[in-house]
Amino acid sequence: MSSPSDTATGCPFGHGAAAAPAGHHGYEPFDMKDPFPAYAELRAEQPVMFDERINYYVVTRYDDIKAVFDDWETFSSENAQAPVRERGPEAKQIMADGGFTAYSGLSARVPPEHTRIRTVVQKAFTPRRYKQLEPAIRENVVSRLETMLARPERRGDMVHDLAYDIPTITILTLIGADTSKIDTYKRWSDSRAAMTWGDLGNEEQIPHAHNLVEYWTECLRLVSEAHAEGGNSLTADLVAAQHDGADITDHEIASVLYSLLFAGHETTTTLISNCVRVLMAHPDQWQQVVADPKLIPKAIDEILRYSGSIVGWRRKALRNATVGGVDIPQGAGLLLLMGSANRDSSRFEAGEAFDITRDNAREHLSFGFGIHYCLGNMLAKLQAKICLEEIARLAPNLQLDSPEDIGFRKNLSFRVPETVPVTWEA
């Protein structure tokens, strides 16, 4: 998520794919403006489709995607963090010269390695830590909302005025990093997303390669600092666990930080942005939330179902398999469109409709399923809940401004609104 003060031009995620050829049902792999009509057509007409533009089998139905997530022995997560487009020689050299050896914290690892590391990390990722963070999160939310609402022009952008900072400060505090470096961490995260899920040419990759070297160097430094100084942070907890005999290396701890410093705020920034964007687009349901804030947890799950931060995730077939009646050869990649599964009417009645009273919204697949279910889901939902509580209290009459002009970044997996412009009454 680019800083509002960022002067760089152009989309860091690349130019996107060409228009969908005939037979692809309007599906554009990198276009996130409004992918849902194409998803619906794929579910109905070709629920498992091979897309030669990205070399993946695209899977769109709920039951098929849940089954793939659940069968980690057949469908490996090892390609979840692999670059969609091969890195060019210049980028590879920059990263090699800079000592870049980062690997996935958990999402691209497989058992028994995944099980071993997740067991250690899960003990440090506790509700006690969330409770410690909650007062500061609320204070930060209130401060930013009051600053925005004090503007005489009564216009704001909920991405840059609220969602941009809150999750970043939270995750930096959690891991013991410098909370004054929000823009730096966001710049690094932009580059990670661009280099992994974007569609960049060789020249476009070069500045991002330099950023990834800086990013990885910082992760290694944080681990070294925790060894030397200890502290009250998740990083210090992991280092202390290692000292007490836990089976985790410094490189693995740094890789966990490499993942958390991205996943711990980028997707939550998007979740908070989508909470405002979707609820304001349904003013009758927003007013239900204002009248009864106890509806907020259900509303958040419905937003995760209806418009999740991550709409596609990848797997690799380790042996010949069949998905949705289609034969998948060993070694093939699969792109699981959770954004489509979450609207599948076979699981969610009137799945294309937004309804905060829906009884089974929590069955969405936006956090994955199975052994890789998102470890940080409770923290993400806590931050979204606090934001909605305080918006309902301080700005109950907030309205979207020109929602049709909201743009979404081009990439394969993340549906990220560039802005969420709002207005309010005096």
Side-chain angles (χ1 to χ4, degrees), residues 93-237:
Q93 191 63 53
I94 289 165
M95 295 167 74
D97 291 346
F100 181 88
T101 59
Y103 188 56
S104 166
L106 288 170
S107 65
R109 295 183 189 264
V110 296
E113 182 182 62
H114 172 270
T115 308
R116 171 177 59 80
I117 297 173
R118 186 175 176 114
T119 299
V120 178
V121 175
Q122 199 157 358
K123 291 176 180 177
F125 228 92
T126 62
R128 176 182 64 84
R129 285 215 170 274
Y130 302 157
K131 191 171 183 64
Q132 290 176 341
L133 291 167
E134 184 169 354
I137 296 170
R138 192 172 298 276
E139 181 180 346
N140 287 333
V141 169
V142 170
S143 173
R144 279 155 180 77
L145 282 174
E146 289 179 340
T147 298
M148 183 188 79
L149 294 170
R151 292 182 191 143
E153 68 272 23
R154 300 197 299 277
R155 291 184 178 276
D157 174 9
M158 297 304 284
V159 175
H160 296 301
D161 289 327
L162 180 68
Y164 180 84
D165 283 352
I166 297 300
T168 316
I169 293 171
T170 300
I171 201 65
L172 294 180
T173 302
L174 179 70
I175 69 173
D178 185 351
T179 57
S180 71
K181 296 172 64 175
I182 292 174
D183 287 350
T184 299
Y185 282 103
K186 285 288 191 181
R187 172 168 54 85
W188 292 340
S189 294
D190 275 357
S191 289
R192 180 172 180 194
M195 290 287 276
T196 305
W197 296 280
D199 186 25
L200 302 178
N202 288 356
E203 284 293 318
E204 295 172 300
Q205 294 175 9
I206 291 173
H208 298 295
H210 286 293
N211 284 341
L212 288 188
V213 170
E214 293 178 16
Y215 184 5
W216 177 238
T217 301
E218 174 69 0
C219 293
L220 294 171
R221 188 196 67 77
L222 287 167
V223 176
S224 178
E225 181 179 79
H227 276 291
E229 301 178 12
N232 180 26
S233 69
L234 183 139
T235 309
D237 286 355

Side-chain angles (χ1 to χ4, degrees), residues 403-423:
E404 66 280 358
D405 294 334
I406 294 175
F408 292 80
R409 293 190 167 195
K410 290 182 179 291
N411 76 104
L412 194 68
S413 293
F414 299 92
R415 190 161 184 262
V416 182
E418 295 277 10
T419 61
V420 180
V422 292
T423 61

